[in-house]
Amino acid sequence: MPMKRRAFLALTLTAALAACAEPRWADDEALRRARFVSNEPPSITLFTVIGIPRGEGGHSAVMINGSQRVIYDPAGSWEHPQIPERNDVLYGITDNFKRFYIDYHARETYWVAEDTVFVSREVADAAIRAVEAQGASPKSYCAVNSGQALQNVPGFEGAPGGFSPLKLRQWFLTRPGVQSKRHQDGDPANNHDVLLRQKDGSIEGYRNGQLVRAPG
């Protein structure tokens, strides 16, 4: 292949990947207003969206509870008017918004694995810095960039960086003390109703299994 053609193809591929990334940068005031500090112990949680019935991996994301609670959602599609975002890091993840995030992905054709490892506050904050430094992700890079970010966190350096959400989860499940939950929603109509309420800007929460209006 001629040198000029190789150079052209390389530049084209780089441009295509850059075009897939969607950088967003909420201002400091938006982050300050949204900031949420949880009373739960510091932790790192891996969310894995898994297909039904074949069991294929559809998405990876990382929730971190440290000096604040955030979700790193590389190449993700979930958004809410009251959740500021900086390059795939979502801020202001209250308990209600955490449930919204899970409900968005849990549906008739997908379930969500929530795998949590409790860590020190220092490790949790190191994880927040790692995801903030990762930058906006091209499409399909959710597992790649989740793994790469975790590689920069003490105790998680062995995280794989490939494209498979399932392989990333299999590795995460080997972490000492991991606790797992399964979320599945078999009612697509109820799921759709939640999404419409989010886009409308209202905040709803769960109480005794029912959606009710609640503070964010």
Side-chain angles (χ1 to χ4, degrees):
M1 181 184 294
M3 181 65 72
K4 288 184 178 180
R5 179 171 173 76
R6 286 201 298 268
F8 173 78
L9 290 176
L11 288 173
T12 302
L13 177 59
T14 301
L17 288 175
C20 291
E22 298 181 4
R24 297 184 181 182
W25 195 261
D27 61 37
D28 291 344
E29 178 59 22
L31 266 60
R32 186 193 66 78
R33 290 196 306 268
R35 183 185 182 94
F36 172 71
V37 180
S38 171
N39 291 327
E40 296 178 356
S43 62
I44 296 175
T45 296
L46 179 68
F47 288 125
T48 310
V49 182
I50 301 173
I52 302 171
R54 294 193 303 270
E56 71 278 13
H59 188 57
S60 296
V62 181
M63 183 175 70
I64 306 160
N65 185 39
S67 57
Q68 61 179 315
R69 188 158 69 190
V70 305
I71 291 179
Y72 177 52
D73 192 32
S77 58
W78 184 78
E79 60 182 15
H80 188 282
Q82 296 187 29
I83 295 294
E85 175 184 347
R86 281 188 178 179
N87 288 348
D88 295 333
V89 181
L90 308 172
Y91 296 84
I93 304 301
T94 65
D95 293 342
N96 287 333
F97 282 125
K98 173 189 171 183
R99 294 185 182 107
F100 279 151
Y101 181 85
I102 292 171
D103 190 80
Y104 175 85
H105 294 91
R107 56 196 71 178
E108 214 170 34
T109 52
Y110 287 96
W111 66 279
V112 178
E114 178 185 350
D115 302 307
T116 299
V117 175
F118 293 103
V119 297
S120 68
R121 173 71 171 271
E122 291 74 19
V123 169
D125 286 345
I128 292 176
R129 293 192 296 271
V131 298
E132 289 176 330
Q134 193 66 30
S137 304
K139 293 179 180 178
S140 301
Y141 271 61
C142 58
V144 173
N145 284 4
S146 292
Q148 288 180 353
L150 287 171
Q151 289 168 10
N152 294 309
V153 180
F156 295 80
E157 295 92 344
F163 283 90
S164 172
L166 292 181
K167 288 184 178 179
L168 179 59
R169 183 183 185 229
Q170 289 168 359
W171 174 85
F172 198 88
L173 288 174
T174 67
R175 300 302 85 204
V178 63
Q179 298 184 10
S180 300
K181 295 180 182 178
R182 178 186 179 114
H183 303 277
Q184 186 170 336
D185 182 359
D187 185 354
N190 183 60
N191 180 271
H192 184 64
D193 182 52
V194 173
L195 299 184
L196 287 177
R197 292 178 188 179
Q198 289 190 77
K199 290 180 180 178
D200 185 55
S202 63
I203 303 176
E204 303 291 330
Y206 289 88
R207 184 177 300 152
N208 298 324
Q210 300 295 320
L211 281 167
V212 296
R213 185 169 296 276

